[in-house]
Structures are given as structure tokens and as C-alpha cells.
Amino acid sequence: MVFNLLAVGLVLLGYRHVLLQTSNARGFATVCAGMGIATFLIHLGFAVSGYRAFHLPLSMSLIAACLVSAMCLLRSLRTVVQGRPGA
């Protein structure tokens, strides 16, 4: 639970940087995408290990949503960088 509290705080801080378009926005977006992938992998590990709570349809949907949103965020970051002049 401590990890979850720290992760939520980091995501909210990153969200602020992205909204304000600070120089740290891209880095925070990358970290958030990495956390989404890590969340997917950690929970997938619990599911594969046999923890029944991770086999519920809503849990599996949320775990998959973490991966999909992380991949979309990484793709959008790549698109933004490619769209810059001189990139």
C-alpha cells in the first residue's frame, strides 16, 4: 500500500507538470508510462502465481487498462518528439 500511495503522488505531480507544460513534463510522462507497465507486470505476476483476486473480470480489465494506457502514453510521447522540427 505504501508503494501505491507513493505512485499516486508521483502520478499527480507528473500530471501537474504535463498540464503546466513545464520542462519536466516529458520526463514525468515517461515515468508514468513506466509505472503503468510495472503495475501490469506486478499484477500479472500475482495472477500467474494463483492469487484468485487477480482473476476477477474487473481486476483483469484494470490490469489490462494499465498496460494499454501506458503504451498509448509512450506512443503519444514518441509522436510529439517526431513532430518537433529538428527531431
Side-chain angles (χ1 to χ4, degrees):
M1 292 304 289
V2 172
F3 171 78
N4 289 335
L5 290 173
L6 294 173
V8 167
L10 185 62
V11 167
L12 291 175
L13 179 63
Y15 184 63
R16 179 182 180 275
H17 281 275
V18 170
L19 284 178
L20 297 176
Q21 297 179 354
T22 68
S23 60
N24 296 327
R26 183 167 163 39
F28 273 105
T30 304
V31 168
C32 287
M35 286 178 21
I37 293 169
T39 299
F40 169 78
L41 293 173
I42 290 167
H43 290 89
L44 179 66
F46 285 134
V48 169
S49 296
Y51 287 89
R52 301 183 102 215
F54 296 96
H55 291 257
L56 299 171
L58 183 58
S59 292
M60 291 184 344
S61 298
L62 288 172
I63 293 168
C66 286
L67 179 63
V68 169
S69 62
M71 299 307 285
C72 289
L73 181 55
L74 287 173
R75 184 170 185 240
S76 69
L77 285 171
R78 184 174 168 220
T79 303
V80 168
V81 169
Q82 287 177 347
R84 285 188 192 162

